[in-house]
Every structure is written in C-alpha cells, then in structure tokens.
Amino acid sequence: MEQIPHGSPDDPNPLRHLSLEQLRRRTSVKWRTYPDDVLPLWVAEMDVLPAEPVARAVTDAIAIGDTGYPAGTGYAEALASFASERWGWDTLAVDRTRLVPDVMLGIVEVLKLITGPGDAVVVNCPVYNPFYLFVEHMPRQVVEAPLDARGRIDPAALEDAFRQAVAGGRRAAYLLCSPHNPTGTVHTAGELAAVAALADRHGVRVVADEIHAPVVSRATRFVPYLSVPGAGTGFSLMSASKGWNLAGLKAALAVAGPAAADDLARMPPEVGHGPSHLGVIAHTAAFRDGGDWLDAVLDGLDDNRRLLVDLLAKHLPGVRHIPGDGTYLAWLDCRALGLGDDPAAVFLDRARVALHPGPPCGTGGAGHARLNLATSPEVITEAVRRMAGAL
C-alpha cells in the first residue's frame, strides 16, 4: 500500500502525529478486523497518542503497582468540574453519581431500574446500532422515533413513539443519544427542554447517552440533558472514553437528576466492581488535566469536517452529507450512487475503505454509511479518492 504522509510529532494537531505504519502496529479492533490494504474508518477509535496527563497518570500508577480496585469519588469530582467549566453545568452532584463499567453497560443497569422485561425503550433512528442490540437482549422492546430530514429530533414522531411505548400502562424509557451518533447532531437547549416536557407528559423516563459530550465543535455549545428545565427524573451516562480515546480503559459514570436519585441508589453495588481502576485513573486525569489536548483535537476535527465537505463536493458530489457539530463521525447519504442498501460493503470491496454500515442503525440507515473523521487529513483525502475511484 502506498505511503500516506503525516505531520511531525511537533504538529499542534494530535490527529497528524502517527503514520499509517505506526497505527498498523496497534492490536485493537479498528486495526485488526481488516487486511492491511484497507483504510479503517469504521469503528469509533481515534488515531491519536494519549494526552500526556492521561499517559502520565496511568504510567505513574503502574510504576507503584496501583492496579487494584477503584475507590473514591475523584472521577465524579473531575467530571463535575469539567462540566461546570465547559458547559456551565453547576448542578452535577457527586452524590448522585455511580461508577459503572462503561456507558452501554451503565445504560443497561439504569434501564433495569426503571423498566421491566417487555417494556418499551424509545430511540431516535437512525442511531448507534448497539442501542438495538443491548435493549433487545435485556429483553425490552425498541420503539423507533425517526429523526427529521435534517437529522434532528422530530417532536411529533417522538410523541407518537411515547404514546406507543406507554400503551396499556407500561413503563417506558427514552434512550437519548446526545450528541447524536451517527449524524453528529448537537441538540439545542430548546430541543432538550421540549423532550423533557414530552417525557413528563407521557410518564417516560429519559436516559441520555452523552459519551460524545466532550467532542463538540468549538463553535457549538453542548447542553447536558440534566441541565434543562424539567429533566430532573432523567439520567445521564458520561465518560472520557470518546473525548480522549480511552475505550480500552473501561470506566463511566451514571448521573441521576434530583428526582431520580432514589432510583440510582437502588443500583446493585456489584455494578461498581466492573470498571477498571486504571480506567478510572485515566478518565479522571482526562477530565481534570486533559483540556488543552482535547482543544487541539477539536481544532483538528473542525478542520477535518471542512475538508470532508470539500472532498465530497469535488470527488463524490452524489453523496449527501449534512456536517454534524458533534462526535467525530460523518453520516453519508449514498442513495443517489445506486450502491444498494449497504454502500459500506461496496466501498470495502471496491475501494478498500472500511466504513460503518448504515442498515444496522435502524430505519433511515439503508443507503447510508458512517465515516470516522478522527484521523489525519491525509487518510481522509486518500479514502475519498479511493471511494470516488470505485465508482
């Protein structure tokens, strides 16, 4: 495979520090699922070195053998400080948090507290496909509330889904993806307040997956769900996993609104045994000391969003793409290309570019694919060039 140049380690953009040769030494799923001639832009891993404060915290722990079980509230305190500084959210109470193994397993545990087998969980499709897998495995029923044509929450569709979910007096929950994966939509304060009002009207409990909360364009404000009026019965699941590329260091926090504290208190203590102590150390350091590194990544992602728009206009004008302000994911509408329901399969076969397929993301996913922008501009450029050549 041809060499794709990258910037030097002195480049201020962390997304340009690693060459493809260096990245291919990794043993994570992103780099081991496909052969070496494939550019992997599918799963949500970043092509970065760890933030220096995170690397130092973990190596310092290893140096003294601090590899036991997690303890204390340092993670929650670091998140509360970060939330106050970054989002103006000053009411994240440490005593209304619980340590959970990761965001998806935390979601499962929260859903167990507020729903029972066979109850309904509403999702905005197309959405992160593990929502379907985990919810159905519990088992719960998934009720879809499709996004509108702009990739935003459709209040009418959501209300219809809420009515269906609570029919017959059943308990129900709404699994809100914020920012939204795969579209990158960042919900506004007004949209979230409307969600809270609808949920209250229909007796639906909101569980917000806010794992991508730190990864929002520098020109856009992230609004935590629990910070909006009327959201007190809801929950949030948060983590440094996406913002600092720490998926391999498992740890997350479940956060309850004031009126949900008693529910969270019923979470079994053994749930808190699942997170990695090193993960807690890493996530705490990220929220506490990793802000400068995060800002550099956010600048690089903003550049990559603009680059992708230009590349698609030049090489793949048939692809419809509404740039998102959140996550590091791009949702590509490839239906005009005539590649069928799963264009990702075509691009993998013909272009040797791996994207995340759209159909598993539910209604609205057919004919779409998701592209990971958390890599170097050079890799994105080569990927789009290959995709265009495959047509």
Side-chain angles (χ1 to χ4, degrees):
M1 176 180 159
E2 64 190 276
Q3 292 296 309
I4 298 176
H6 287 63
S8 74
D10 296 325
D11 192 306
N13 181 358
L15 295 167
R16 302 194 72 235
H17 288 181
L18 294 168
S19 67
L20 270 179
E21 181 182 3
Q22 291 171 308
L23 290 166
R24 292 198 185 281
R25 292 167 55 194
R26 294 183 170 182
T27 58
S28 67
V29 66
K30 180 177 184 179
W31 295 97
R32 285 294 179 265
T33 299
Y34 299 104
D36 282 354
D37 65 331
V38 172
L39 287 179
L41 298 179
W42 62 292
V43 74
E45 295 182 23
M46 285 199 228
D47 293 348
V48 291
L49 292 169
E52 193 277 333
V54 173
R56 184 174 65 249
V58 172
T59 55
D60 285 353
I62 293 290
I64 63 170
D66 189 8
T67 54
Y69 299 104
T73 58
Y75 187 178
E77 291 163 9
L79 172 59
S81 178
F82 182 89
S84 175
E85 178 184 343
R86 291 276 172 151
W87 309 320
W89 182 23
D90 296 321
T91 56
L92 195 168
V94 170
D95 63 353
R96 293 201 306 271
T97 67
R98 289 293 184 274
L99 198 60
V100 293
D102 59 28
V103 163
M104 275 311 308
L105 290 178
I107 286 169
V108 167
E109 294 298 331
V110 169
L111 289 175
K112 288 178 182 177
L113 298 174
I114 58 176
T115 64
D119 287 339
V121 178
V122 176
V123 302
N124 293 123
C125 55
V127 73
Y128 178 57
N129 64 290
F131 278 16
Y132 294 91
L133 303 176
F134 279 81
V135 168
E136 291 169 352
H137 181 70
M138 291 184 63
R140 306 292 190 268
Q141 299 181 52
V142 173
V143 175
E144 294 186 323
L147 299 170
D148 68 16
R150 301 169 301 142
R152 308 203 73 88
I153 295 171
D154 182 336
L158 189 61
E159 185 156 31
D160 286 345
F162 283 178
R163 288 195 186 102
Q164 180 183 341
V166 299
R170 296 181 304 175
R171 292 187 294 176
Y174 170 38
L175 185 46
L176 169 69
C177 195
S178 180
H180 193 84
N181 173 3
T183 64
T185 302
V186 178
H187 310 303
T188 67
E191 288 170 329
L192 294 174
V195 163
L198 277 177
D200 180 66
R201 185 182 312 157
H202 293 280
V204 174
R205 302 294 293 278
V206 179
V207 181
D209 173 354
E210 296 182 319
I211 195 171
H212 285 279
V215 191
V216 169
S217 170
R218 301 266 260 161
T220 303
R221 177 173 172 255
F222 171 75
V223 180
Y225 175 71
L226 294 180
S227 72
V228 304
T233 62
F235 299 84
S236 170
L237 280 298
M238 289 191 164
S239 169
S241 175
K242 297 307 177 194
W244 287 267
N245 200 45
L246 301 176
L249 289 162
K250 293 281 191 181
L253 289 164
V255 185
D262 289 346
D263 290 313
L264 189 62
R266 293 188 290 107
M267 184 177 285
E270 58 267 25
V271 173
H273 298 171
S276 156
H277 181 42
L278 290 178
V280 171
I281 289 170
H283 289 234
T284 302
F287 279 125
R288 187 183 59 219
D289 300 318
D292 290 344
W293 182 92
L294 176 65
D295 286 339
V297 169
L298 296 181
D299 287 340
L301 291 173
D302 280 345
D303 289 343
N304 283 356
R305 290 187 186 99
R306 290 187 288 267
L307 173 65
L308 181 64
V309 168
D310 292 343
L311 289 170
L312 292 176
K314 180 177 180 181
H315 299 290
L316 286 169
V319 172
R320 182 173 179 266
H321 167 55
I322 302 174
D325 291 315
T327 79
Y328 46 77
L329 308 167
W331 187 234
L332 308 181
D333 182 348
C334 305
R335 287 175 292 181
L337 302 182
L339 302 180
D341 286 348
D342 188 6
V346 178
F347 288 128
L348 176 60
D349 179 56
R350 298 183 189 172
R352 311 307 286 160
V353 175
L355 307 177
H356 189 288
C361 296
T363 300
H368 293 70
R370 192 190 75 180
L371 182 148
N372 181 347
L373 289 165
T375 187
S376 70
E378 293 81 5
V379 166
I380 294 171
T381 300
E382 172 66 7
V384 174
R385 185 194 68 76
R386 289 188 186 190
M387 291 161 66
L391 303 179

